[in-house]
Amino acid sequence: MKKVNFKLVNILLLLLIIILAIFVLPNISGYLGQAFSALLPLIIAFTLAYILNPLINLLQKYKIPRWLGILIVYTIVTIFFVYLIWGVLKPAVDSIGNISVGIENIMIEIGDILNVDTTSMSSYIIGLVDEIIIEITNFFTASGGTVGQVWNTIISGAVVIVVGIIFLLNFPRIRQRIKEYLTITVKHKTVSFVRTLDNELTNYLVAEIIIAAIQALEYGTLMLILSIFFPEFLVFVPLVALVAAVLSLIPYFGGYFSILFTAVIVMTVPSAAYGMIAIGIFMLIFPQLDAYVINPKIYQTKLNLNPISTIAFVLLGQAFFGIIGAILSVPFQVVLEVTMQYYKDNIKSSIKKINEHL
C-alpha cells in the first residue's frame, strides 16, 4: 500500500481554499451581508448586555434585585438614546441649515487669502453637504421614501431592548453553563484562557469608556468656549461631545476625525475663519495629546498593549474593513494576544508539523 503524500495533500487543500475564496465568496457575499444585517440587532443586544452586565452585578451588591437593576439600567439607557435622537441630533439638524452659507463664506475667505477662484470647489462641497442634510432630514421626518427605513430602525431598536433584557436576565446562568461545559469537555488551560479573555475584553471596555469620556469632555468644552463668542454653537455642544466619544472608538486617529467634524460645524457661522483659528490651536495640542500620551497610557495600563502594534492593527483593520475594521482592531488584537500567550507552544508545534509536511 502506497504511503499518503501529506505534502501534496496540504498543497491541494490550500489551492482548493484559494479557488473557493476567489470564485465562491463573490457569489455569496450578498447573502452573507443580508444574513449579517438580519442578525445585527441580536449582535448589538448581546454586546450591550455584555457591556451592562458588570453594572448590573454592581447593583446586586447593593441588594438591588437583578430584574429591578436591569429595568432601571435599560430605562436610563432608553431615555438616554431618545434624548440623543430628539434632544441632540434633531435640534442640531434643524440648526445646521446654515452650513452651506458657512462653507461658501470660508471658501471665499480661503480664495481671498490664496488669491484663487474657489467657486467650483465651493459648489461641489455644498452640493455634497446639502445632499447629506436632506437624507438626515428625510429620516427624521419620515419623508422622501424613508418610512420603511424609520420603521425598520424602530423595530430593530425594540428587538435590541427586549433581547438585551433577556440576555441580561440569563447572563449568570449562561456564564455558569459555559463554565461547566468547558470544565467537563476541555482542559483546565482552556477554561483559564476563556476566563482571561473575558477579563481582558472587560478591561478594554473600561478603557474605551474612560477615553470616550475624556474626548467628549475635551471637544464639548471647546464648543462651549466657542459658544461664548458664537452663541449659535451652543446647540451643537452635546452633538460634538457625542461624536467625539463615538469616534474615540478608533484608537489614536479618532481625534483627527473629531477635529474634522468640529471644523464642519464651525463653518456654519459667517465669521468661520475666527472659529477655525481656535480649531487650529486646539488641533495642535489635544489630538496629539490623546493619540500619543493619554490613549497609549490607558491602553498600556488597562490592557498592556504595545502602542506600535496597536497602531498597526488599526491601520490594517481600516485598510481591509473600513471604519468598522478600525473600531474592531483593538478587541481583535486583545483576542489574538491572549490566544498567543496561552497557546504559543501549541501554535509553534502545529507550524512545525505543517512545515514538515510541505
Side-chain angles (χ1 to χ4, degrees), residues 26 31 40 52 67 114 123 156 182 190 215 245-246 264 286 289-290 305:
Y31 297 105
L40 187 59
L52 295 176
W67 67 268
L114 301 177
S123 300
S156 297
L182 291 175
T190 304
Q215 295 205 8
V246 173
V264 170
F286 285 96
L289 189 65
D290 291 330
L305 294 179

Side-chain angles (χ1 to χ4, degrees), residues 1 26-27 40 49 61 71 98-99 105 108 118 120 152 154 159 168 171 175 180 185 225 241 244 254 273 305 317 337:
M1 185 176 178
N27 295 322
L40 187 59
K61 290 181 179 179
L71 184 62
N98 295 325
I99 193 168
N105 288 336
I108 290 172
T118 58
S120 58
N152 286 338
I154 293 172
V159 170
L168 271 176
F171 227 87
R175 279 175 176 261
E180 290 173 358
T185 57
I225 293 171
L305 294 179
E337 291 205 2

